[in-house]
Every structure is written in C-alpha cells, then in structure tokens.
Amino acid sequence: MKSNHLHSTTDQTRTSPKVPSQMWQQYGSCPNGTIPIRRTSISHPTNVHPSKVIVTPHHSFSVVLTEGFSYSGAKANIRVWKPYVESDNDYSSSKVMLRNGPLQTFDTAEAGWAVNPKVYNDNNAHLFTYWTTDGMKNTGCFDLTCPGFVQTSREVVLGGDISDLYGSDITIQISKDPYTSNWFLRYNDKEVGYWPGEIFPILRHQANLVQWGGEVSSPNVGTHPHTATAMGSGKYADFIFGSSGTIKGMLIEENSNPLKPPENLYPSSDEWDCYDAYLLKEYVKEPSFFYGGPGSRDNPRCQ
C-alpha cells in the first residue's frame, strides 16, 4: 500500500537529500514484494518483549513543540550525530514525534535516528521508528521488532546503520492518509511504510501535538548521580556553528492540508543543566532548533 497523499502534500520548494546506498546493497538487492530486515546475532536476539528492551519511565527531553490544532503530519531535517551512551540500559535519539492522548497513556508515532546499544548491539546511529498506545508502558516497539509498523520499501533498512551520515541531515516526514487513516513514513526521498490507523485508539483520528528534538532514556535521568549519556552531538545548543543537535525545515500538516510552517513553536527542556534547547527564529528565513548536552560527563552542572 502506498499513499498518494504523502506525495501530493510534499512541499515542492524544499528538496530532501537522496538516500545514500547502504552497505547491505553491495551484496545484492531485495526482489519486488520483499523488504530488507536486519540480521541479528544469536547472542543478540530480537524476540524479547518490548517492555524488556525499550520501555522505561525515565526520559529526558529537549524539544521544540507546537500544539492546539488538529495535526495530520510533520516533517523536518535532522542532523545525525553519534552521542556517547553510558550503558546498554540507556539510549539517545533525535526525532519527529506526533502525539495524542493523556500524558500517562498517550499514542505516539515517531521516527528519526537513535544510538541504542540494547536494540542495535552497537554504539552507532541507526534509522528508527517507534510507536506506543499507552505512554510507553506495555505497547509498541522500535522498527519491526513487534507487529505494528508495515514496511513497504525494499530499499531502506529500518534500524540500518547511518554512521556514514554523521554531521549531515536526514529528512523525516510522517503523514496521515485521510482515506485510510494510516500514518505513512518517508525517509529522505523514499516512502518506507506506514503505521496502520487501527493500532491507535486516539491517534488514528489526529494528533494534537507535534514535537521535534532529542530524548535520553536512562534509569539515571533526574537522579544523582545523573547519567553521562549525551543528547544530540553531546554539546549544548550551538546556534552559531551548528555543532550541537540541529533540526531545520520544521513543517506541519493541519487536517490533511499542504505542509506549512507552524504558527507557534515552544522550546522546552526537562533538565536544562544537562541538556538545553534554543529556538532561533529572529532574523532568519525559517526557524532552526538547537539542542543537546553531555549529561553528567565532565559536566559539573549536571551531577
């Protein structure tokens, strides 16, 4: 299944970078009707219940968000980095997220890049998708590790290593098809697949919040000692040189209308001393969001 809506609402005045060839494609390609899936080692199985791999109540966000309308899509260019991750129980991600529902039991569909040793068995950045329908408690997972996201592309590997893109941007677009209520994902210029609308009790109708930015998940977020897991590039918001986490080209859809800039954007951080956030919107052509930080690593502000 493909979405004509996703293509028709793409802002033609803005170009997305092409998807570079991926390492696995050196050895062949997937025939029509099949998709590439990451192979994992025997010592690193993927048939672990999502709550044992992903779900933790300890999250720290530095984001820019917009809310108050009926959102049917969002898009952004996200700079790829390789932040330090302290342990296998931690991960660091940068993403586009659409959400609806109560704070403790919300629905969400999101995509971007993540350094997640427990899921990917290394400390490189990987392309990821994620969804949940109960605030990350018992439902949902990354990529294709549980039923949910339906992949249609034979060219893009979900969970694929994108370390060759460090310092460059990837484009993520999520958009709801008004005819099927499925939420489609595009990575750069490729349609990857979709989250079926029926898996979302609330989000199948609309999102009421769009969020762009970084997340650190760790049992040691908000505690002392604090985790040393970094966000973004591991540097605080750098709007001069762009050496921190950086997101540009932020666009939204309202009620399946064409993409447009958000009317209001609000920067926010859960832990300013550990990970900060800065929205540059004055005297620039379009807003740019800078975020991140080192956590507690060599950082007396965050201990």
Side-chain angles (χ1 to χ4, degrees):
M1 183 182 295
K2 292 185 179 295
S3 170
N4 292 325
H5 172 74
L6 182 65
H7 293 272
S8 65
T9 57
T10 300
D11 186 348
Q12 299 298 329
T13 65
R14 303 168 188 262
T15 58
S16 298
K18 299 293 184 181
V19 175
S21 61
Q22 297 176 313
M23 187 174 296
W24 68 274
Q25 292 173 331
Q26 298 175 15
Y27 306 100
S29 60
C30 289
N32 287 331
T34 68
I35 63 170
I37 300 176
R38 290 179 62 249
R39 184 190 302 277
T40 56
S41 67
I42 295 175
S43 62
H44 185 69
T46 58
N47 60 344
V48 185
H49 188 276
S51 66
K52 301 299 184 184
V53 176
I54 299 162
V55 178
T56 168
H58 305 288
H59 299 262
S60 186
F61 292 92
S62 286
V63 299
V64 62
L65 59 92
T66 186
E67 59 183 341
F69 294 92
S70 174
Y71 302 105
S72 56
K75 184 179 180 181
N77 303 320
I78 307 173
R79 191 149 302 161
V80 179
W81 297 109
K82 184 183 177 181
Y84 172 77
V85 173
E86 184 176 45
S87 75
D88 287 352
N89 292 320
D90 293 7
Y91 69 77
S92 181
S93 65
S94 294
K95 59 197 175 184
V96 177
M97 171 194 285
L98 292 108
R99 201 178 85 184
N100 201 344
L103 183 60
Q104 301 301 320
T105 57
F106 57 83
D107 293 357
T108 184
E110 57 192 68
W113 62 261
V115 177
N116 191 330
K118 184 168 284 188
V119 172
Y120 301 121
N121 205 28
D122 62 30
N123 288 88
N124 295 329
H126 293 256
L127 175 71
F128 85 94
T129 64
Y130 180 79
W131 67 276
T132 182
T133 60
D134 60 0
M136 304 182 182
K137 292 184 176 64
N138 296 304
T139 64
C141 62
F142 281 94
D143 307 331
L144 304 177
T145 56
C146 72
F149 188 84
V150 179
Q151 183 166 340
T152 58
S153 172
R154 63 190 183 100
E155 300 178 70
V156 177
V157 176
L158 286 178
D161 188 326
I162 55 173
S163 56
D164 58 335
L165 297 178
Y166 293 159
S168 302
D169 293 350
I170 60 172
T171 298
I172 297 293
Q173 182 182 353
I174 301 172
S175 182
K176 185 170 79 78
D177 189 307
Y179 305 104
T180 64
S181 295
N182 296 333
W183 289 86
F184 281 81
L185 169 66
R186 173 183 276 186
Y187 167 56
N188 291 351
D189 65 342
K190 299 295 183 182
E191 187 174 306
V192 181
Y194 60 93
W195 293 271
E198 58 263 26
I199 70 175
F200 296 115
I202 306 172
L203 192 63
R204 67 182 302 174
H205 304 293
Q206 64 185 29
N208 65 0
L209 181 147
V210 179
Q211 189 169 284
W212 302 266
E215 174 191 7
V216 166
S217 175
S218 171
N220 296 317
V221 162
T223 65
H224 298 281
H226 192 279
T227 181
T229 293
M231 181 189 294
S233 69
K235 297 182 179 180
Y236 286 113
D238 176 12
F239 62 91
I240 297 177
F241 299 106
S243 64
S244 63
T246 303
I247 297 181
K248 298 182 178 181
M250 294 172 286
L251 300 170
I252 52 97
E253 288 181 28
E254 291 180 1
N255 296 312
S256 301
N257 289 312
L259 287 159
K260 68 174 188 177
E263 294 182 16
N264 298 294
L265 288 168
Y266 307 97
S268 175
S269 177
D270 294 336
E271 299 179 292
W272 286 96
D273 288 336
C274 304
Y275 317 107
D276 66 359
Y278 183 84
L279 178 65
L280 180 64
K281 60 181 180 179
E282 302 295 336
Y283 311 111
V284 292
K285 184 178 180 180
E286 62 182 14
S288 298
F289 180 57
F290 303 91
Y291 62 96
S296 64
R297 193 181 191 191
D298 301 322
N299 178 19
R301 290 171 50 183
C302 177
Q303 298 295 336

